[in-house]
Amino acid sequence: MHTALYTVNEDGSVELHVHAQPGAGRSQITGRHGDALKVRVAVPPEHGRANTALGAVLADAFGIPAKDVTIVSGEKSRTKRFRLAVEDVEAFAHRLDDLVAAGASAPGPTDRDKWHKG
């Protein structure tokens, strides 16, 4: 379990630590970045658009409505905390584990470089 990536609030919601990478080629969760979930979004960090996109990616990834994802801190930073109103913290934790594992195994620049002949 990746419990270092989130805290559970008294009301049963979770605060997820996120490392944002705005202006990426596509929006996706790419694994861990220290004690945060690394999330890339395709939109630039202008006028809160990246924060909105991050919230949408998280809502989609955890299967909750976008209205249940709010930014708690880090509006103008790459290091952010999002509050997610989840119904089942254990199910959230298992989904988070799946997302981190899938992101870590996805091909990235390092993997592509191994196959580059040049």
Side-chain angles (χ1 to χ4, degrees):
M1 294 265 175
H2 293 91
T3 56
L5 302 181
Y6 67 94
T7 56
V8 180
N9 296 323
E10 290 181 15
D11 65 358
S13 66
V14 295
E15 283 189 18
L16 181 63
H17 305 270
V18 173
H19 178 81
Q21 185 179 354
R26 62 183 170 187
S27 296
Q28 67 184 60
I29 294 174
T30 60
R32 278 184 84 140
H33 182 84
D35 285 339
L37 183 68
K38 186 172 183 181
V39 183
R40 294 177 178 167
V41 290
V43 298
E46 297 170 348
H47 310 293
R49 290 176 46 213
N51 291 334
T52 301
L54 284 165
V57 169
L58 294 174
D60 184 57
F62 290 101
I64 59 176
K67 67 176 180 59
D68 289 343
V69 179
T70 55
I71 190 163
V72 175
S73 68
E75 289 88 354
K76 295 182 185 256
S77 171
R78 284 183 181 247
T79 304
K80 302 174 184 295
R81 283 186 301 135
F82 281 88
R83 180 185 173 277
L84 286 75
V86 297
E87 293 183 17
D88 182 350
V89 174
E90 189 172 328
F92 163 84
H94 287 295
R95 179 66 180 142
L96 178 61
D97 288 344
D98 292 345
L99 291 167
V100 170
S105 66
T110 305
D111 292 330
R112 286 191 303 264
D113 291 347
K114 288 192 298 190
W115 304 105
H116 179 70
K117 308 251 191 234

